[in-house]
């Protein structure tokens, strides 16, 4: 049976696709624009917009399991189409934000929670992945790194940065096995690591100094807003960073429990992404 990977051009989606292909699975890759997809031989491509249910029937036809990105607008249409097609299991890329104590006040948590709830009520099996901060967030430093610095607020915020390949390895394992039904899995990297330590690691891997210039919270919020982030999101993120200066974010052993191997370190991530920091920032920057 076929496994559908939505967001197959995304950081995590592409890694899920690669994991499934390496495991010999029959995979269909989805994007809102299938012509933009570059996939390995033998992988079918389909255009599907999760916010436009009229595009979903062809994407889910003959599919047994789906790797799903969170798109609250259209989730009901997705559930309907997936059920009609006989999909048995959906693995959702959600967020650790829904597990935080203040999630009721969090816009990010609300968006993910809406999709988690819709899947919990759906007539097929589902598993929710709740990763914490992605190591790929440091791709957002590329323009500053090109200038020889890293600029961030709260440089001593310590987060359990997770490699997208570890999220993908967990997702692929579950999609293939049909395991962990009804579970919500908090995924993190192996250890809390500060932004300052991430910058030092990147400097080491790239072979050039990268001093950290500390931004005020207002400056950092301004930069996020300029990137087009909704206005309520930067304050949430900055509050989380302030908190994790005082108290590092928790790390879990779930990647190892599901995949049998420990999560990759930030150094491993930096080595895997060395080339991303030596070409100009463009599509895919976060
Ligand atoms: N960054 C973090 O620290 C963090 C932490 C926890 C959770 N998350 C969650 O992880 C997700 C981001 O993952 P990522 O880094 O892999 O994202 P990404 O690289 O930005 O890719 C996003 C993908 O979503 C797809 N997409 C967007 N709108 C769509 C739509 N209407 N219909 C179908 N597909 C759509 C895009 O596909 P096309 O453009 O090809 O259509 C793209 O492949 C977000 O939901 C975020 O909240 C992030």
């Amino acid at each position: 049976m076929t496994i559908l990977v939505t967001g197959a051009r995304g950081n995590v989606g592409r890694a899920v696709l690669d994991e499934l292909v390496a495991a010999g699975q029959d995979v269909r890759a989805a994007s809102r624009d299938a012509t933009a997809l570059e996939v390995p031989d033998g992988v079918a491509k389909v255009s599907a917009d999760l916010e436009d249910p009229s595009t979903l029937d062809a994407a889910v036809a003959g599919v047994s399991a789906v790797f799903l990105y969170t798109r609250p607008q259209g989730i009901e249409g997705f559930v309907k189409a997936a059920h009609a097609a006989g999909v048995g299991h959906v693995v959702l890329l959600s967020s650790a934000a829904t597990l935080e104590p203040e999630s009721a006040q969090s816009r990010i948590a609300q968006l993910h929670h809406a999709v988690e709830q819709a899947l919990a009520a759906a007539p097929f099996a589902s598993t929710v992945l709740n990763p914490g901060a992605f190591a790929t967030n440091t791709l957002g430093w590329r323009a500053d790194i090109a200038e020889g610095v890293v600029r961030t607020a709260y440089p001593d915020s310590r987060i359990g940065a997770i490699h997208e390949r570890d999220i993908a390895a967990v997702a692929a394992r579950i999609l293939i096995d049909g395991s962990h039904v009804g579970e919500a899995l908090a995924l993190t990297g192996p250890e809390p690591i500060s932004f300052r330590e991430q910058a030092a690691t990147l400097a080491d891997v790239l072979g050039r100094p990268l001093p950290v210039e500390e931004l005020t919270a207002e400056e950092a919020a301004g930069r996020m807003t300029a990137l087009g982030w909704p206005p309520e999101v930067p304050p949430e993120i900055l509050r989380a960073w302030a908190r994790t200066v005082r108290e590092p974010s928790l790390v879990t052993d779930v990647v190892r429990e599901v995949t049998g191997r420990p999560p990759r370190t930030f150094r491993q991530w930096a080595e895997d992404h060395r080339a991303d920091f030596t070409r100009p920032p463009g599509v895919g920057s976060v």
Side-chain angles (χ1 to χ4, degrees), residues 30-286:
S31 163
R32 282 166 296 179
D33 176 9
T35 62
L37 284 167
E38 289 172 23
V39 296
D41 289 346
V43 172
K45 301 193 264 187
V46 65
S47 289
D49 184 340
L50 291 167
E51 295 182 354
D52 179 358
S54 71
T55 66
L56 298 179
D57 289 346
V60 294
V63 160
S64 57
V66 178
F67 175 74
L68 184 68
Y69 269 82
T70 293
R71 305 308 306 174
Q73 203 176 339
I75 184 60
E76 285 171 17
F78 169 80
V79 168
K80 209 169 148 197
H83 180 49
V87 168
H89 193 180
V90 172
V91 175
L92 174 70
L93 176 59
S94 183
S95 165
T98 62
L99 308 176
E100 300 287 343
E102 67 269 27
S103 62
Q105 284 81 48
S106 156
R107 178 76 183 137
I108 300 171
Q110 284 165 5
L111 293 175
H112 289 88
H113 190 66
V115 177
E116 291 184 8
Q117 292 295 106
L119 291 183
F124 44 73
S126 61
T127 304
V128 176
L129 306 184
N130 298 107
F134 294 178
T136 52
N137 292 345
T138 57
L139 292 173
W141 293 349
R142 278 182 290 185
D144 289 335
I145 286 177
E147 293 176 18
V149 292
V150 164
R151 299 185 179 96
T152 183
Y154 302 110
D156 297 309
S157 165
R158 282 173 292 165
I159 53 159
I162 185 166
H163 196 309
E164 67 279 7
R165 286 173 62 194
D166 286 324
I167 304 171
V170 168
R173 184 77 271 134
I174 293 172
L175 287 161
I176 293 167
D177 293 350
S179 58
H180 298 275
V181 167
E183 294 183 19
L185 302 175
L187 307 178
T188 71
E191 63 198 348
I193 177 168
S194 70
F195 294 139
R196 209 182 286 285
E197 290 163 336
Q198 291 176 41
T201 304
L202 283 168
D204 201 32
V205 167
L206 298 175
R208 53 200 163 94
L210 286 174
V212 173
E213 286 181 14
E214 183 167 352
L215 301 176
T216 64
E218 291 71 26
E219 287 167 337
R223 285 163 60 114
M224 293 176 198
T225 305
L227 287 173
W229 297 22
E232 63 274 26
V233 171
E236 267 182 42
I237 290 176
L238 289 160
R239 272 196 301 277
W241 289 358
R243 190 180 63 240
T244 49
V245 170
R246 301 188 299 272
E247 187 183 307
S249 61
L250 290 176
V251 295
T252 73
D253 207 27
V254 177
V255 169
R256 187 201 305 265
E257 287 162 12
V258 176
T259 67
R261 56 178 302 285
R264 295 163 174 89
T265 61
F266 184 78
R267 176 169 292 274
Q268 175 72 62
W269 181 88
E271 286 168 356
D272 290 348
H273 286 269
R274 187 185 279 113
D276 289 331
F277 291 93
T278 53
R279 54 178 172 244
V283 175
S285 296
V286 288

